[in-house]
Amino acid sequence: MTAATTTPEAAVGVLPRADGSAKYSHAGYTVTASVNGPIEAQRRDEHAYEAHVDVTVRPAAGVGATRERHLESILQSSLSQIILVKNFPRSVIQIVLQIEDSPENDYVNTKLVQASLNFAIMPALIQTAVLALLSAAVPMRATATATAVATVRQGGATKTIVDPSPREVETAQSVHVFAFTSHDELLLAESEGDFTVKEWDDSYETAKAICCRPEPTKEGIAMVLDDETTAGPDMRHFLRLAMETKVASDLYWK
Amino acid sequence: METERLIVLPGETIDPSLIPSHQKLPLRLGPGLRHIPPSDIVPTVAGQLITNPARNSMWIEYNSQRYIPSTSDLILATVTRATPDAYLCTLSPYTPPATLPTLSFEGATKKTRPILTPGALVYARVTLANRHMDPELECVSAATGKAEGLGPLAGPGCVFDVSLGFARRLLMARSREEGGVGVLEMLGGEEGAAGGGGLAFETAVGRNGRVWVGSESARTVVVVGRALQETDRAGLGIEGQRKLVKRLVREVR
């Protein structure tokens, strides 16, 4: 569980020319996102009553193909749910996600650096997109946090792994990706592999504990971040911290 | 100076005790907030919650790059095209054009209208901002029929892009005290003890994040523009701005 113990890192507003941007790295993945919008839509993307969310995923090497289109369609439908698309009819909100780095699989000797995308990268993509949208000040209904959970069967017992490495994804029985809004609503649930309803429920609970951990009570400085009962990073707290830093530096004059 | 900022993220609940209440005035919601009937007030952007109990208003203060038109904003528009009864202008890149009727200039009639070529700069006010329609502009006050400082920006000068938050700070009535921007005063101030630059220039600040700097001297235009952009990007305080002005004025001599 080396990947799960690393803390996520983020930098907001890294690209000077874009309306909003963010760089996010966690569990071996590094993604940079830029957001532009609302801008004028092309005729084919134009919708009379809501903004079109245009997501582009670009792999670290090579050009995007079917896998990227699949990820884009999943991200597009999830992000349209949290962006207030009705506020900007006939416009486009353009999100470009550039994958910069993904963890290597030590067991497979891949000469080609060609992208091999899997579910494990989706939390990083969602998280970066949300940070970049916040940076661009695109009006949103809520924020979102995401995580990936793998279920591994070892000698009859099942074990859930948070933020699995490529090797763990390969050996896992099933991999699940969950995203939750800041209202604790399930935004995205994608699963692959063999699993029972019980296993899905366990994965769901694990993911929810990571994405929807309640705010620590601000009694003095008694903000315990890593207590024994919960494993993995506290995504919601992380998101808030990243944005607090950004807002404070923007409003230094206030 | 406040002791602690109240920073909100989209969708967070605002403590009801923070919402101002007033006997007579209705509650006014500013940018970044939305009202979900019956009684929820929810932020839509990440920023600092500001409340003004005297005027019974609240809004979110944040900085951004993309201008979204709203009524009665002063903006710097570029004319792109002329149609028989209106000029089409851009307020920000890749956004639908805003219309500026040829009759909404001071003293304009059907016979006499200002001639603006594509690329001309106009300092205008937004009269119509509606999500379903393209914005509309005017260069004349509807109440008095006078230009009141609006109109085509002629003469030598240059436009500089700044962030929207910085443009708002420049437009504050007391920008030095409230907004913490004194760079223009310093550049234009008397040379000598006060550390002024002694430069002669004029500016027009648009809420769409564009500043026009006009001066007979091209050097002055560049110095003022650079001072504004560097103050914005580096986030300089009053003291930092003073040093910057000193350096730039020395370099230009």
Side-chain angles (χ1 to χ4, degrees):
Chain A
M1 291 254 295
T2 49
T5 50
T6 61
T7 49
E9 277 176 46
V12 181
V14 287
L15 306 172
R17 296 279 177 192
D19 288 346
S21 56
K23 187 181 180 135
Y24 172 83
S25 46
H26 179 48
Y29 294 101
T30 304
V31 183
T32 300
S34 80
V35 169
N36 283 296
I39 56 178
E40 194 172 17
Q42 286 184 354
R43 184 55 66 81
R44 65 189 162 95
D45 296 332
E46 199 174 276
H47 191 294
Y49 295 105
E50 57 182 47
H52 173 73
V53 180
D54 179 32
V55 185
T56 312
V57 176
R58 306 166 74 116
V63 288
T66 323
R67 284 172 207 266
E68 282 76 17
R69 299 293 94 75
H70 178 224
L71 284 180
E72 281 165 15
S73 74
I74 294 170
L75 286 170
Q76 196 247 0
S77 52
S78 311
L79 293 171
S80 309
Q81 296 294 316
I82 57 167
I83 298 171
L84 289 167
V85 283
K86 292 259 164 74
N87 281 15
F88 305 105
R90 295 169 292 107
S91 53
V92 160
I93 293 163
Q94 189 182 54
I95 305 167
V96 181
L97 294 149
Q98 171 72 56
I99 299 159
E100 290 188 16
D101 200 8
S102 48
E104 282 170 28
N105 190 344
D106 300 331
Y107 293 81
V108 183
N109 190 11
T110 41
K111 274 261 177 65
L112 248 178
V113 211
Q114 185 65 37
S116 60
L117 283 186
N118 49 39
F119 274 9
I121 200 167
M122 280 191 64
L125 292 174
I126 292 174
Q127 219 61 74
T128 322
V130 167
L131 281 166
L133 284 166
L134 286 170
S135 150
V138 172
M140 290 200 285
R141 186 170 287 122
T143 53
T145 46
T147 195
V149 177
T151 314
V152 182
R153 287 213 186 100
Q154 277 177 337
T158 55
K159 195 173 84 169
T160 52
I161 298 173
V162 179
D163 297 319
S165 69
R167 175 66 184 165
E168 285 163 337
V169 170
E170 224 166 59
T171 52
Q173 282 287 320
S174 61
V175 184
H176 312 267
V177 176
F178 294 97
F180 295 87
T181 68
S182 51
H183 302 307
D184 292 359
E185 297 153 337
L186 185 62
L187 181 67
L188 169 81
E190 292 282 330
S191 306
E192 72 177 349
D194 293 340
F195 54 91
T196 61
V197 174
K198 168 86 174 58
E199 281 168 356
W200 190 89
D201 282 342
D202 288 346
S203 311
Y204 173 81
E205 291 303 330
T206 315
K208 194 165 184 181
I210 287 163
C211 293
C212 304
R213 203 169 300 170
E215 279 274 300
T217 46
K218 283 182 183 165
E219 293 295 315
I221 321 164
M223 288 169 56
V224 185
L225 295 181
D226 269 332
D227 45 5
E228 294 82 40
T229 52
T230 47
D234 181 353
M235 294 311 293
R236 192 172 283 177
H237 180 72
F238 159 76
L239 188 76
R240 195 178 165 82
L241 220 58
M243 286 321 291
E244 272 179 5
T245 321
K246 189 253 177 190
V247 171
S249 72
D250 273 356
L251 304 178
Y252 66 95
W253 50 276
K254 197 88 185 157
Chain B
M1 282 284 134
E2 292 134 285
T3 47
E4 197 180 337
R5 296 172 185 281
L6 188 79
I7 288 169
V8 289
L9 293 187
E12 288 185 349
T13 44
I14 296 173
D15 194 343
S17 65
L18 296 167
I19 298 171
S21 60
H22 197 277
Q23 295 289 319
K24 294 190 192 102
L25 291 170
L27 180 66
R28 288 172 69 91
L29 296 184
L33 290 169
R34 77 179 176 134
H35 174 226
I36 304 173
S39 61
D40 287 343
I41 293 168
V42 183
T44 58
V45 293
Q48 185 182 357
L49 178 72
I50 315 269
T51 51
N52 185 341
R55 301 181 65 184
N56 205 26
S57 61
M58 60 195 293
W59 70 95
I60 307 283
E61 188 73 49
Y62 62 98
N63 197 5
S64 59
Q65 298 290 331
R66 177 66 52 181
Y67 176 68
I68 296 163
S70 77
T71 319
S72 77
D73 277 359
L74 295 175
I75 46 89
L76 264 179
T78 315
V79 175
T80 49
R81 209 154 61 81
T83 62
D85 50 356
Y87 291 109
L88 296 183
C89 312
T90 46
L91 309 186
S92 51
Y94 309 109
T95 49
T99 51
L100 172 61
T102 42
L103 288 176
S104 58
F105 288 88
E106 186 183 330
T109 59
K110 283 194 172 171
K111 300 262 166 56
T112 60
R113 54 181 66 174
I115 312 266
L116 297 175
T117 49
L121 267 183
V122 190
Y123 197 41
R125 186 189 294 114
V126 180
T127 51
L128 178 98
N130 182 319
R131 61 185 171 185
H132 291 294
M133 291 161 80
D134 291 345
E136 260 176 46
L137 312 175
E138 64 172 10
C139 284
V140 65
S141 166
T144 61
K146 292 277 191 299
E148 293 179 354
L150 304 177
L153 292 172
C158 198
V159 173
F160 296 90
D161 286 331
V162 293
S163 69
L164 300 191
F166 190 71
R168 283 200 296 273
R169 284 161 68 194
L170 284 169
L171 279 166
M172 283 178 181
R174 297 186 302 134
S175 62
R176 194 188 183 113
E177 291 79 14
E178 287 174 9
V181 207
V183 70
L184 292 178
E185 286 172 38
M186 290 172 200
L187 285 161
E190 288 280 310
E191 283 180 81
L199 303 173
F201 61 91
E202 49 184 343
T203 56
V205 184
R207 282 209 164 211
N208 53 343
R210 297 164 110 197
V211 185
W212 176 78
V213 181
S215 172
E216 288 301 323
S217 144
R219 284 187 166 199
T220 307
V221 173
V222 172
V223 166
V224 174
R226 269 182 62 192
L228 287 171
Q229 288 188 323
E230 281 187 35
T231 308
D232 180 25
R233 276 171 205 160
L236 300 175
I238 289 285
E239 201 41 53
Q241 290 168 32
R242 189 167 289 137
K243 278 184 193 148
L244 173 76
V245 166
K246 227 178 196 171
R247 202 190 77 221
L248 285 172
V249 169
R250 199 173 53 230
E251 276 175 15
V252 84
R253 287 245 161 75

